[in-house]
Amino acid sequence: IARMEQIVAHQLSRSIVVGRKSMAQPVAVLPVVKRLADALKKVYFERGIEFSVEIADDEVFHGDESDLMEVLGNVMDNACKYGRGRVSISAHTMASRRCCICIEDNGGGIDAADIPVVMQRGVRADTQISGQGIGLAVVAEIVDLYDGRITISQGSLGGAQLELIF
């Protein structure tokens, strides 16, 4: 019975997202990124975070703006928290019309062995910096609801690079 309830809850949440995707107006990505970057500059003022943004004005996300804010907010916050002052954000539309957003920092990166671990709720690879370990799990859940994917690798800045496709 518990498993059946999980399946029903999962399918209902997926239908809500599908409904939101089909009924939602396209959300411009650049203004959302700019708002988040401005807020994070204030939060991490003492660190002097520099954001590099390469996103066309017409780049859009097909879904709910609050989902985009939640995903980007968590990933950009992690880039500020674990990076060494530089965060790069870029986006483009893929041939499949999916939105691909890449966020990277110049920190120490994420060890390949830790990648599956950091996506789990309540689990953190770095316990030196405060946090609850739910940010990337929430990101993974939202991206999954859009039938998307997350790729974590080492970026050109030397730190973590997260590629979000949804």
Side-chain angles (χ1 to χ4, degrees):
I1 292 174
R3 180 65 183 137
M4 288 171 47
E5 288 176 345
Q6 286 177 326
I7 292 169
V8 169
H10 175 73
Q11 293 303 322
L12 285 173
S13 67
R14 287 180 53 84
S15 67
I16 290 167
V17 169
V18 169
R20 284 195 300 205
K21 281 173 57 177
S22 63
M23 294 172 55
Q25 295 294 319
V27 177
V29 176
L30 184 58
V32 172
V33 168
K34 284 183 175 180
R35 265 188 290 161
L36 289 168
D38 288 344
L40 289 167
K41 282 179 185 178
K42 293 173 186 169
V43 171
Y44 294 100
F45 177 76
E46 72 284 350
R47 299 200 57 205
I49 304 292
E50 294 178 29
F51 286 94
S52 169
V53 178
E54 292 183 30
I55 301 173
D57 290 336
D58 62 348
E59 187 63 47
V60 295
F61 163 72
H62 296 280
D64 187 73
E65 183 176 12
S66 62
D67 289 340
L68 182 62
M69 291 281 291
E70 183 77 24
V71 168
L72 294 181
N74 276 304
V75 177
M76 289 171 65
D77 181 56
N78 281 350
C80 292
K81 191 182 298 183
Y82 297 107
R84 295 187 183 111
R86 290 183 59 209
V87 177
S88 173
I89 305 121
S90 61
H92 68 277
T93 301
M94 302 173 63
S96 62
R97 294 197 57 229
R98 287 185 172 265
C99 183
C100 177
I101 302 173
C102 183
I103 301 168
E104 60 179 293
D105 63 61
N106 64 338
I110 301 172
D111 289 333
D114 290 334
I115 290 172
V117 174
V118 298
M119 302 304 281
Q120 297 174 16
R121 186 176 295 274
V123 179
R124 300 178 56 233
D126 181 353
T127 57
Q128 302 300 314
I129 297 175
S130 66
Q132 304 304 314
I134 61 171
L136 286 180
V138 169
V139 168
E141 288 173 10
I142 292 171
V143 171
D144 185 55
L145 288 172
Y146 284 90
D147 292 324
R149 73 171 191 267
I150 302 170
T151 304
I152 301 175
S153 60
Q154 182 174 352
S156 61
L157 296 178
Q161 173 179 294
L162 275 79
E163 183 179 72
L164 309 162
I165 298 173
F166 56 124

